[in-house]
Amino acid sequence: MDRLELVAACPMGLEAIVAREVRDLGYEEVKVDNGKISFMGDALAICRANLWLRTADRIQIKLGAFKATTFDELFEGTKALPWSDLIPGHAEFPVQGRSHKSQLSSVPACQGIVKKAVVEKMKQRYQTDWFPENGPRYVIEVSLLNDIATLTLDTTGSSLHKRGYRKLVTEAPLKETMAAAMVLLSRWRPGRPLHDPFCGSGTIPIEAAMIGWNLAPGLRRSFDAEAWEVVPKTLWEQARDEAFDLVRDDEPLDIFGSDIDEEAIRVALAAAKGAGLSGEITFHEQPVSKWKPEGDYGCLITNPPYGERLGTSGEADKVIRQLGSIFRSHETWSAFILSPDKQFEHHFGKPSDKKRKLFNGRIECALHQYMGPLPPRVRTE
């Protein structure tokens, strides 16, 4: 387990951000591909990546990749991989799959072939014809793309966006991974105000506070690989101890979230408490028309409601016009606004300095970026 090829799966559009996060953890052999980042690491890297990556969905171990245009090729290629070096005889090992632009297009059939091949490989090691599958969970994924089969083991379990702090949700919550990406792209740092006037369940303010205090997003949850023999518990303890030592909870935070929905504010307050940030973020029930940015060089980071969420596109257009009017009167502020509306800039009343295509779930959006001035540097004598 000294040298593994690890894969950080992520939403389309966030690859560069995930790659930067991986490099910040100290891993240099990074390869960027559509929807995933590959890098080399050891068993400790599995722990650190799961605990620290804010914008990835899951961390996988790549077992191998090979051409597979027939079921025989898929079976033999899978069987040749070192499954029994990682998976114990009592493990549960379900197979998940997906196929795109490949001759082997039946995902259930491919899953069945892979399962059979892994069982045959494990029979050789454990000298048995039956596996109880009542132990730790090792999820195998077979991914076929352009007739190349890639086989991985998932170390994460529930997606990394499930931080563990949010027990209640609003009708259309923004994923924590996307919220974190928006904050990371904003250049925001503690010492600058951060406001979200459409905060919903509070995801953007909470993720910002976690970034501001350097809180590892995975500290409050568990992972499938914590039960694996090949990733010793001592490594998880080491990674968690490192994360706790790096917390900067003495940083003052000026983070504010508001929403017109009283229930959303209740959910946001509960989530902030679950994240250990109760009292560090100000949440307030109010319409966007009453939003009053305070301070200079602040960041507006938000995911405004649109027609499907508000009921009518006319209502959505109105609140965007109100938001734009308020924002334009605060020249030192920056704004990072996620919207699927092709007419967003028209309603907001100002063209974006930069747009970045992102996917909020299955919805194609643009992150409209309005780059205000950075705070002046403070001279130190």
Side-chain angles (χ1 to χ4, degrees), residues 300-354:
L300 162 66
I301 308 177
T302 193
N303 174 37
Y306 44 91
E308 294 176 30
R309 290 164 62 191
L310 274 180
T312 69
S313 59
E315 292 176 37
D317 297 344
K318 179 181 177 181
V319 297
I320 295 304
R321 286 195 295 270
Q322 291 172 336
L323 181 65
S325 177
I326 297 169
F327 174 74
R328 292 194 304 274
S329 65
H330 291 76
E331 295 181 354
T332 66
W333 276 61
S334 301
F336 299 81
I337 306 170
L338 187 68
S339 175
D341 185 0
K342 302 298 184 184
Q343 298 298 314
F344 172 84
E345 291 164 296
H346 170 72
H347 299 308
F348 193 68
K350 187 175 183 180
S352 309
D353 295 321
K354 185 178 179 181

Side-chain angles (χ1 to χ4, degrees), residues 60-289:
Q60 301 163 316
I61 301 172
K62 181 178 176 180
L63 270 292
F66 50 87
K67 187 174 182 179
T69 58
T70 68
F71 287 133
D72 283 343
E73 288 178 337
L74 181 60
F75 179 89
E76 295 299 333
T78 301
K79 186 180 176 184
L81 299 176
W83 300 104
S84 51
D85 290 349
L86 297 171
I87 303 176
H90 66 301
E92 177 189 3
F93 51 103
V95 179
Q96 298 177 354
R98 50 198 170 102
S99 178
H100 184 62
K101 296 182 179 179
S102 297
Q103 295 182 52
L104 298 179
S105 58
S106 172
V107 171
C110 292
Q111 291 173 236
I113 292 295
V114 168
K115 181 76 173 187
K116 182 178 179 181
V118 175
V119 168
E120 289 301 314
K121 181 74 170 190
M122 293 179 64
K123 282 181 179 179
Q124 297 174 359
R125 166 68 69 88
Y126 298 111
Q127 301 296 304
T128 182
D129 290 328
W130 181 76
F131 296 94
E133 296 203 46
N134 58 3
R137 185 173 171 87
Y138 293 70
V139 178
I140 299 167
E141 181 180 273
V142 52
S143 174
L144 287 137
L145 176 62
N146 296 324
D147 293 325
I148 300 297
T150 302
L151 279 297
T152 57
L153 272 179
D154 176 35
T155 72
T156 301
S158 297
S159 174
L160 288 175
H161 83 269
K162 297 184 177 180
R163 315 291 205 213
Y165 62 71
R166 188 162 66 180
K167 306 303 180 185
L168 304 172
V169 295
T170 52
E171 184 177 348
L174 184 71
K175 278 190 176 181
E176 291 84 343
T177 43
M178 182 60 70
M182 293 170 67
V183 176
L184 291 173
L185 287 166
S186 74
R187 304 179 298 173
W188 175 81
R189 295 290 184 272
R192 300 178 66 184
L194 186 151
H195 288 206
D196 179 0
F198 302 103
C199 71
S201 57
T203 309
I204 291 174
I206 291 169
E207 290 295 317
M210 293 176 69
I211 290 169
W213 276 7
N214 202 36
L215 290 168
L219 275 177
R220 293 178 176 269
R221 57 161 290 173
S222 60
F223 307 94
D224 278 2
E226 288 188 72
W228 293 9
E229 296 174 8
V230 292
V231 188
K233 292 187 182 299
T234 53
L235 294 183
W236 288 101
E237 292 169 358
Q238 177 183 340
R240 289 182 186 277
D241 286 345
E242 290 174 352
F244 279 116
D245 288 343
L246 291 169
V247 172
R248 299 193 299 264
D249 57 3
D250 57 343
E251 291 276 6
L253 300 175
D254 185 4
I255 300 175
F256 179 91
S258 61
D259 200 284
I260 196 172
D261 185 348
E262 179 183 3
E263 176 63 17
I265 296 299
R266 187 178 73 84
V267 172
L269 288 167
K273 183 178 180 180
L277 294 163
S278 183
E280 305 301 331
I281 306 169
T282 301
F283 288 109
H284 186 63
E285 179 192 348
Q286 69 176 18
V288 68
S289 60

Side-chain angles (χ1 to χ4, degrees), residues 354-370:
K354 185 178 179 181
K355 286 188 287 189
R356 188 186 190 110
K357 184 167 77 172
L358 297 175
F359 286 86
N360 185 10
R362 295 179 179 272
I363 302 172
E364 182 178 328
C365 298
L367 180 64
H368 296 271
Q369 303 175 56
Y370 297 88

